[in-house]
Amino acid sequence: MVKWDFEVRRTEQIPGALARAIHLATSEPRGPVYLIFPREVTLEEGKWRNVIMSTYEPDPREDDVREAAKMIEDSDRPVIVTWRAGRRKEWFDSLKNFADTVGIPVLNYVGETVNYTGDMGLDQFDLSSADLIIAVETEVPWTPKKMKVKGRVIKVDVDPGYSRISFYDFPCDLCVMSNLKDFFDRITPLVSKKNEWKMRTLEIRREQERRKEEKVKTFMSEKKVKPDLVSWYVGRMGLTVFNEYPFNFHFGNFSWGQYFGDITSVIWDGLWGHPSATLWPQGEELLRLLVMGHSFSEFLRLSTMR
């Protein structure tokens, strides 16, 4: 499944096709594109020309921002559930500022990426007790067969309708189409601090951290090495981790850009500004080299430059 596909028929189409491919792949919602180059086209000579196409992003409606602020203001036990809010650094920063300032716990602080770091991150929480769920960049915020959610739902996503999914019936009292930075930067000053809820969240987090420490001590005393213990060690090496099961990120200790649960997030966000761009700093140049017929060894040389 791709956002856009195109078969190049003539060499003069190559610059425009490449420009549009990058334009669509890097505009929200970001995703893969597919260009087809028939062999006869690759054998022809052509002239390169620069084609400029800027990216675009959704912007939240003012009424949606104010309605979301009111829903959060009226709630006593709001919870943020996300999965890939950290795929862009500015999104990560804005969500973290919102959660820390207002005092709202964050579930899946590590999911597809590192989405949040701080005292509001929880390993587990019973969403049936939340009176408001703020679902951020996540198609499946909970498992319906295992949990009955009673609270209202705000969904914030660049594509909150998930048009790419044929059947989808998660509830959404307020769906906001927006990039996360615009939404959270605009809503943070409109919401009062929830000090009591923040203190309760801190208590829950301390208890969860205490239990993990006890488990690690138990694992260390055993002869057989448990996957959770390996996760604990790896998470303290300061490395970037590309998840291979049964790695348990709850036992890790990651900063933004150090964990990827889905390799596609590395490819499609990494080439265009994600932290994994440190692996591939010349994303557009790499794509151009491959398309223009340069050797794969040259592609690998550039892709491994630090």
Side-chain angles (χ1 to χ4, degrees):
M1 181 181 295
V2 296
K3 285 184 65 177
W4 176 72
D5 64 272
F6 180 72
E7 181 175 339
V8 176
R9 298 289 187 174
R10 302 185 304 276
T11 56
E12 56 265 30
Q13 292 179 326
I14 292 176
L18 274 177
R20 191 175 186 205
I22 295 171
H23 165 72
L24 293 175
T26 57
S27 296
E28 296 293 351
R30 295 179 177 182
V33 295
Y34 183 61
L35 281 177
I36 305 169
F37 292 86
R39 184 172 181 275
E40 57 270 22
V41 174
T42 64
L43 297 176
E44 296 178 7
E45 292 187 1
K47 293 182 178 181
W48 182 260
R49 58 188 173 88
N50 289 326
V51 179
I52 298 175
M53 292 186 184
S54 65
T55 59
Y56 55 86
E57 296 203 2
D59 187 48
R61 296 177 296 192
E62 186 62 30
D63 289 347
D64 289 343
V65 173
R66 295 192 177 279
E67 177 62 20
K70 183 179 183 304
M71 292 171 68
I72 297 170
E73 192 74 22
D74 293 342
S75 66
D76 295 320
R77 300 179 306 282
V79 178
I80 297 170
V81 182
T82 185
W83 192 244
R84 56 177 177 276
R87 65 188 179 91
R88 293 172 60 174
K89 182 61 164 61
E90 65 270 24
W91 291 9
F92 171 91
D93 290 338
S94 293
L95 184 145
K96 175 175 172 56
N97 178 61
F98 171 76
D100 290 345
T101 300
V102 181
I104 298 179
V106 180
L107 279 181
N108 299 330
Y109 57 91
V110 178
E112 184 176 300
T113 59
V114 178
N115 302 309
Y116 172 85
T117 57
D119 294 335
M120 293 292 100
L122 298 181
D123 292 325
Q124 299 176 23
F125 186 82
D126 182 6
L127 288 179
S128 65
S129 65
D131 58 358
L132 178 67
I133 295 173
I134 307 172
V136 181
E137 284 281 320
T138 175
E139 295 95 336
V140 186
W142 65 86
T143 306
K145 290 184 178 180
K146 296 182 179 180
M147 185 173 299
K148 298 290 185 180
V149 170
K150 303 173 184 177
R152 304 181 74 189
V153 179
I154 298 174
K155 188 180 295 181
V156 186
D157 201 293
V158 292
D159 181 16
Y162 303 119
S163 55
R164 64 187 180 279
I165 301 175
S166 58
F167 177 78
Y168 187 82
D169 64 348
F170 273 83
C172 177
D173 296 278
L174 178 64
C175 291
V176 182
M177 183 178 185
S178 174
N179 76 75
L180 304 191
K181 176 176 172 56
D182 284 351
F183 177 78
F184 285 115
D185 285 357
R186 288 169 62 176
I187 203 172
T188 301
L190 303 179
V191 181
S192 303
K193 295 181 179 179
K194 298 186 177 294
N195 294 324
E196 185 176 337
W197 183 230
K198 183 174 185 178
M199 295 304 296
R200 176 57 183 150
T201 299
L202 291 174
E203 291 176 5
I204 297 172
R205 177 179 169 81
R206 281 193 293 267
E207 178 60 21
Q208 291 181 352
E209 292 298 311
R210 184 189 65 79
R211 290 180 180 178
K212 282 194 291 188
E213 289 176 3
E214 289 181 351
K215 285 184 178 180
V216 169
K217 290 179 180 178
T218 301
F219 295 153
M220 289 181 173
S221 65
E222 298 176 351
K223 291 184 178 180
K224 186 177 180 180
V225 178
K226 298 289 181 64
D228 286 349
L229 181 59
V230 175
S231 301
W232 186 86
Y233 279 118
V234 171
R236 281 152 183 78
M237 292 180 178
L239 304 173
T240 298
V241 174
F242 302 89
N243 182 29
E244 289 294 338
Y245 296 112
F247 188 88
N248 187 345
F249 57 74
H250 290 296
F251 284 88
N253 184 22
F254 300 108
S255 299
W256 179 81
Q258 285 191 311
Y259 179 87
F260 301 94
D262 185 350
I263 193 64
T264 59
S265 67
V266 179
I267 296 173
W268 293 109
D269 284 313
L271 285 174
W272 324 112
H274 203 279
S276 54
T278 56
L279 302 178
W280 297 323
Q282 303 91 350
E284 294 186 29
E285 179 65 11
L286 296 178
L287 182 58
R288 189 181 69 80
L289 283 174
L290 282 180
V291 170
M292 298 305 291
H294 289 256
S295 67
F296 191 66
S297 60
E298 178 67 7
F299 175 83
L300 289 178
R301 184 187 70 79
L302 273 176
S303 67
T304 54
M305 288 177 62
R306 299 284 180 142

